[in-house]
Amino acid sequence: MPNTVKLKKGLDIKLLGEADQVIIEAKKPTVVAIKPTDFHGLNPKVVIKEGEEVKRGQVFMYDKNNESVKFASPVNGTLTEIVRGEKRKILAIKINVLDKDDCEQVNVGDLASMSREQVKQVLLDGGMWPFLKQRPLDKIANPEVTPKAIFISSFDSAPLAPDYDFIMHDQGAFFQKGIDAIAKLTDGKVHLTLNGDQTADATFTNAKNVQINTIFGKHPAGNVGTQIHHFDPINKGEFVFTINPIDVVIIGKFFTDGKFDSSRIVALTGSEAKNRKYYKTIIGAQVSSIIDGNMEEGNVRVISGNALTGDNVGKDGFLGYYSSQITLLPEGNHLKFFLTKGWLGLGFDKYSSHRLFPTWITPNSKKRLDTNLNGEERGFVVTGEMEKVFPFDILPMYLIKAIIVNDIEKMEQLGIYEVAPEDFALCEYVCTSKIEIQDIVRKGLDVIEEECM
């Protein structure tokens, strides 16, 4: 397979509100929360009781579907509340942060002489395993399978995404240690993909024990799904693990001193953010510890993640387990007068991927867009719009229709094993039928897991 790819399809949505490359220490959160909803298919079992203390790095929860997958606490604190929803489903585990930072230390051993099983066991027992995800299914990796490859994307191409070159600068030693650890999990290659449109940081270019690939093009060039499809596609019966480079560093530090470094650098972005910078905080922190005083007045949506795939967590919500970005956008839950701001308006302040408005003449101008759908769900008809932004050799509309009608054979023929919901975020954005395509893909993967795996 080639190790350089130039994408012809994709779409960069130019939003206003990129973060300045300055790191600020965020206010220490009083509470952190781990949300099982961040891990699709997780059936959590909390092993400590409300009111008990837990150290940073101490295992406090495991997956009842696979008891070897454990979760480590990101802070030293007291478990104060287990938030439950319908049918007592656990929605969040809240831990009050104590002033004293007491950390559990693990004897990890000498990485160079460790076998695959030993590395895997250290990651599982230390609560580091949830950082690894797998394709197909896009969920926490199954420790029982051996992946044919592991993919790391060195950049994020989503709107207003954090700059990994900036975050990872001077982290080369820990990044290399993390790569050396996860490389033992596979007999194949560890793929590290660089952005061909800019010069990567030395942390990435100096990495060893990996195959370095280069990809050029617009979003979703930074998605691991796009990179897997072009550099080492998945066939039925094969598995690929994926991991974010920031989490590779956490694993590298864990194999260095045996401690869980739960710190996280988060980019505060979006047109409604005042002091757009990078904030150093903790996994699962309250978003209020970052956005208080940094958010414009009015009706604002608080998103953990980016505008295309992030979760609307609200002002009192918590940072997602995998999130390194908070996006603040104007809420769009209001009516627009059709002659001025609606479908008959001139649209000088709007953006359209279809050249519907005159602003297509200035494609690099940044826009202050709200979350309004500008329409409602309608008939799902063939338009050809999805194919313009979907850089896979897959027919997205036919795959989605196969999922809707629950045609498993067609789903397999059209490439369901290769994709994840985030790969269809742009399709959802350009869909004139206003259909929640990412949810449909998620349901299709659930069917495949239940019926075929």
Side-chain angles (χ1 to χ4, degrees):
M1 300 298 293
N3 61 1
T4 300
V5 167
K6 294 184 179 180
L7 299 180
K8 296 180 180 177
K9 299 178 180 178
L11 179 67
D12 286 332
I13 303 171
K14 304 289 186 181
L15 293 182
L16 189 67
E18 191 173 340
D20 299 332
Q21 293 196 345
V22 176
I23 296 178
I24 296 176
E25 194 77 30
K27 185 171 68 176
K28 185 177 180 180
T30 56
V31 183
V32 301
I34 299 299
K35 297 172 287 185
T37 48
D38 289 339
F39 315 95
H40 184 77
L42 180 72
N43 189 6
K45 173 66 178 178
V46 183
V47 296
I48 62 172
K49 297 178 181 176
E50 292 184 28
E52 289 185 2
E53 287 192 11
V54 59
K55 293 180 182 178
R56 174 164 62 93
Q58 180 182 338
V59 171
F60 73 99
M61 180 175 77
Y62 66 84
D63 183 3
K64 284 197 278 190
N65 295 330
N66 190 335
E67 296 185 4
S68 63
V69 177
K70 301 166 186 170
F71 295 78
S73 170
V75 294
N76 176 40
T78 306
L79 194 152
T80 54
E81 185 181 5
I82 299 176
V83 183
R84 296 181 183 272
E86 293 182 2
K87 299 180 180 178
R88 293 185 56 77
K89 178 182 178 182
I90 297 178
L91 302 178
I93 300 103
K94 294 184 178 180
I95 303 173
N96 263 14
V97 183
L98 298 177
D99 291 334
K100 182 184 176 185
D101 184 19
D102 197 2
C103 181
E104 183 110 327
Q105 183 155 9
V106 178
N107 182 14
V108 293
D110 179 22
L111 177 61
S113 60
M114 293 172 75
S115 66
R116 175 192 300 170
E117 286 303 316
Q118 288 172 320
V119 170
K120 187 168 73 175
Q121 202 59 50
V122 168
L123 291 173
L124 289 167
D125 292 343
M128 302 293 112
W129 191 264
F131 290 123
L132 287 159
K133 300 176 80 173
Q134 77 169 38
R135 302 279 180 110
L137 301 181
D138 189 37
K139 56 192 296 189
I140 294 176
N142 181 359
E144 303 303 320
V145 304
T146 301
K148 74 164 187 171
I150 297 175
F151 271 80
I152 305 167
S153 177
S154 73
F155 68 105
D156 188 344
S157 55
L160 302 176
D163 186 343
Y164 289 170
D165 290 318
F166 173 67
I167 293 176
M168 299 280 290
H169 185 62
D170 284 340
Q171 298 289 324
F174 295 123
F175 184 62
Q176 185 61 58
K177 191 101 175 181
I179 286 176
D180 292 341
I182 62 174
K184 289 182 177 272
L185 301 177
T186 177
D187 295 327
K189 297 176 181 175
V190 176
H191 292 265
L192 174 63
T193 307
L194 309 183
N195 184 357
D197 294 319
Q198 64 185 48
T199 304
D201 188 81
T203 298
F204 298 118
T205 56
N206 292 338
K208 306 289 191 298
N209 205 13
V210 295
Q211 172 171 311
I212 294 183
N213 307 314
T214 306
I215 191 166
F216 296 80
K218 300 176 181 177
H219 184 65
N223 284 8
V224 284
T226 308
Q227 297 163 11
I228 292 169
H229 179 78
H230 288 283
F231 294 121
D232 198 356
I234 305 171
N235 299 308
K236 186 176 181 180
E238 296 177 334
F239 293 88
V240 166
F241 287 0
T242 67
I243 185 169
N244 188 293
I246 296 170
D247 300 330
V248 175
V249 170
I250 292 177
I251 289 176
K253 291 179 177 177
F254 185 69
F255 273 94
T256 301
D257 60 10
K259 295 180 179 178
F260 177 25
D261 180 2
S262 59
S263 61
R264 181 79 87 192
I265 294 176
V266 176
L268 178 62
T269 64
S271 59
E272 306 312 289
K274 287 182 180 175
N275 197 16
R276 297 189 287 262
K277 301 279 192 305
Y278 288 77
Y279 291 82
K280 187 173 183 181
T281 185
I282 301 169
I283 292 172
Q286 293 164 296
V287 293
S288 59
S289 64
I290 295 175
I291 66 173
D292 278 358
N294 289 329
M295 186 169 68
E296 299 286 353
E297 297 292 329
N299 198 2
V300 176
R301 179 174 294 191
V302 181
I303 300 169
S304 174
N306 65 66
L308 291 174
T309 61
D311 294 322
N312 180 3
V313 297
K315 299 173 185 175
D316 300 320
F318 295 86
L319 194 64
Y321 193 81
Y322 300 105
S323 293
S324 296
Q325 179 182 7
I326 295 173
T327 307
L328 305 182
L329 297 178
E331 191 61 81
N333 55 353
H334 55 274
L335 297 177
K336 297 180 178 179
F337 185 52
F338 74 102
L339 280 177
T340 55
K341 296 291 184 182
W343 61 279
L344 271 182
L346 295 177
F348 286 112
D349 58 344
K350 292 185 177 180
Y351 171 79
S352 172
S353 61
H354 312 308
R355 296 190 176 185
L356 182 64
F357 302 116
T359 47
W360 72 268
I361 301 171
T362 55
N364 291 323
S365 64
K366 297 177 180 177
K367 301 290 186 300
R368 179 180 179 268
L369 303 182
D370 62 32
T371 62
N372 199 310
L373 285 178
N374 299 310
E376 59 186 5
E377 187 173 324
R378 60 202 71 165
F380 190 31
V381 296
V382 176
T383 61
E385 295 300 330
M386 294 182 190
E387 286 75 8
K388 295 177 183 176
V389 299
F390 192 70
F392 290 55
D393 293 327
I394 288 175
L395 299 171
M397 182 162 278
Y398 291 100
L399 174 57
I400 295 162
K401 288 185 178 232
I403 295 171
I404 291 173
V405 299
N406 209 26
D407 188 335
I408 294 174
E409 189 176 345
K410 281 288 182 190
M411 283 188 242
E412 290 185 332
Q413 292 173 356
L414 292 167
I416 187 74
Y417 291 102
E418 286 196 62
V419 300
E422 68 172 10
D423 299 325
F424 286 81
L426 279 177
C427 294
E428 186 171 289
Y429 176 77
V430 302
C431 179
T432 51
S433 302
K434 315 293 181 184
I435 290 175
E436 295 184 354
I437 292 172
Q438 294 184 77
D439 282 347
I440 293 172
V441 174
R442 181 74 267 172
K443 289 171 185 172
L445 292 171
D446 290 343
V447 170
I448 289 294
E449 181 178 19
E450 185 177 343
E451 300 291 337
C452 307
M453 302 188 74

